[in-house]
Amino acid sequence: MTTKKKRSPHTANDSWVVIAADSALETSKTRDSDPNFVKLRNPATGAASQYLFSSGDERVYEIKAFAEDFRSWFIGQTVQRDGRLLYATPVDPVFLLLQYLQRGGVEGKFQPLQQVVMDEDYPGCTRLLKCTQALSSVHHVADEKAVGDLKFHRYNQEKTLEWLKKKVQNTVSALKKSDLSVGGGVKSTTYVRVKQESDATEEDYLVYAHGLISEYISEELSKDLHKHLQLPEISSPKEVEPPSKKRKLSDKPVEAGDDYTKFNSSDFTRKPPKKMTAAQKSLAKVDKTGMKSMSAFFSPKVKQEKN
């Protein structure tokens, strides 16, 4: 008598498809830690997000996801139901330090970073203190004072705004080289250029770049930067977000689940059906007279009755 093979119980996701640079995943025997994922406080939203620390905590990468409904991956002989495509992109760790420096700067005194970068909800933030890139750049946003072998820091708003201004200017240069439309005529959902590139002004680039940088700072600091750049006043709430911030799912940060070493898709909210694409709209206009539907090829043939 044959017995029916039991299905294996459903288990949590343990495989994902991630695009990352080799430098982010390289391991080294000379360093004290391998690359791993850490849950940190998002500097813009305050919510939990996933970040990847490279070997030895030298660099930090943010994890973002491209996600669409009803997608899965075939991995080996299994089907992975989490069909998101995750990708790791470098992020300046100073953005992650800023929120702690600002909080510590309220007292207006110099403090060691070990006393400033502390978070009960996100204890992994102390790993930023091992990041060489963060330690070598923190002077851009804070005053430093050395006493013997010890260093003390105090948040400096003016330095921070100048540092962010340079970030915006560098972003503007990159946008111009990429030939990306940034003017008001850009349809943000598809990035379709609806007016000539020559119509884009320097102000358009600054507004667009400001929107990109604002994804890594608090709303209050974003407003301060807006004034520092001498950008025009915002007349409506919709103008707060330039086309760069009204995107599809492709640039959403990955929110961390309870287990920050894995990406838990149980909290992933299904999005409502998307609008038809230009190709789908064109196909819908095609005259389908005389065409058979796909199901007609798979339906059983009806026998004709003999007279």
Side-chain angles (χ1 to χ4, degrees):
M1 181 178 179
T2 58
T3 58
K4 187 176 180 180
K5 186 177 180 181
K6 293 183 179 180
R7 285 187 176 184
S8 57
H10 174 72
T11 56
N13 297 321
D14 56 1
S15 298
W16 300 270
V17 178
V18 183
I19 298 177
D22 291 338
S23 58
L25 303 176
E26 287 177 347
T27 58
S28 174
K29 295 181 180 179
T30 60
R31 294 168 183 164
D32 57 358
S33 62
D34 290 333
N36 53 28
F37 297 99
V38 178
K39 179 173 66 174
L40 297 176
R41 189 184 299 275
N42 187 294
T45 65
S49 292
Q50 290 281 6
Y51 295 87
L52 172 65
F53 280 74
S54 64
S55 179
D57 296 344
E58 288 192 354
R59 293 182 178 83
V60 185
Y61 299 80
E62 60 178 336
I63 304 299
K64 293 190 176 183
F66 177 82
E68 290 185 340
D69 289 341
F70 314 116
R71 284 180 176 267
S72 299
W73 290 104
F74 289 95
I75 302 176
Q77 299 299 316
T78 63
V79 177
Q80 174 64 26
R81 70 174 185 175
D82 187 346
R84 294 179 296 173
L85 174 62
L86 308 180
Y87 54 99
T89 57
V91 61
D92 192 329
V94 175
F95 283 119
L96 303 175
L97 285 176
L98 259 180
Q99 53 193 321
Y100 299 107
L101 289 168
Q102 285 182 296
R103 185 180 62 186
V106 175
E107 300 178 13
K109 60 182 181 180
F110 287 88
Q111 301 178 72
L113 287 178
Q114 290 79 1
Q115 293 182 12
V116 176
V117 186
M118 299 174 63
D119 197 325
E120 293 182 358
D121 296 327
Y122 305 94
C125 69
T126 56
R127 298 186 64 163
L128 293 169
L129 301 177
K130 300 179 186 177
C131 182
T132 55
Q133 184 183 1
L135 296 178
S136 63
S137 303
V138 70
H139 67 276
H140 291 301
V141 296
D143 298 323
E144 288 185 347
K145 181 183 291 186
V147 179
D149 295 334
L150 299 177
K151 281 188 177 182
F152 299 85
H153 296 81
R154 181 179 62 187
Y155 175 70
N156 187 312
Q157 177 81 348
E158 292 182 5
K159 276 188 173 183
T160 299
L161 291 175
E162 279 300 310
W163 176 73
L164 289 172
K165 182 179 179 179
K166 290 179 181 178
K167 289 284 186 182
V168 170
Q169 292 171 342
N170 291 338
T171 304
V172 167
S173 299
L175 289 171
K176 290 180 178 179
K177 289 180 181 178
S178 65
D179 194 30
L180 179 67
S181 288
V182 298
V186 178
K187 292 182 179 179
S188 59
T189 54
T190 55
Y191 296 108
V192 175
R193 185 180 288 116
V194 295
K195 68 175 185 177
Q196 294 298 322
E197 183 66 27
S198 58
D199 293 341
T201 64
E202 188 69 19
E203 185 177 285
D204 289 331
Y205 280 104
L206 286 172
V207 170
Y208 196 104
H210 171 265
L212 290 175
I213 298 301
S214 293
E215 294 182 359
Y216 299 92
I217 56 179
S218 66
E219 183 178 357
E220 182 180 355
L221 187 55
S222 175
K223 292 178 180 178
D224 291 338
L225 177 61
H226 190 274
K227 293 179 181 178
H228 190 67
L229 294 171
Q230 298 180 345
L231 295 175
E233 291 296 327
I234 300 169
S235 58
S236 65
K238 290 184 179 180
E239 291 182 25
V240 175
E241 294 185 355
S244 61
K245 300 199 71 176
K246 301 174 185 174
R247 323 173 222 229
K248 298 187 287 184
L249 298 174
S250 57
D251 268 349
K252 289 186 63 178
V254 175
E255 295 184 358
D258 293 333
D259 181 1
Y260 60 76
T261 61
K262 296 182 178 181
F263 298 105
N264 188 352
S265 64
S266 60
D267 295 331
F268 178 71
T269 304
R270 291 292 181 186
K271 303 294 180 183
K274 296 182 181 138
K275 294 181 181 179
M276 293 178 65
T277 63
Q280 290 173 328
K281 290 180 180 178
S282 299
L283 184 60
K285 295 179 182 178
V286 174
D287 184 7
K288 302 181 181 64
T289 305
M291 296 185 183
K292 289 185 179 181
S293 64
M294 184 65 71
S295 59
F297 292 93
F298 300 94
S299 58
K301 294 182 179 179
V302 180
K303 294 183 178 179
Q304 296 181 352
E305 295 183 358
K306 294 182 180 180
N307 296 329

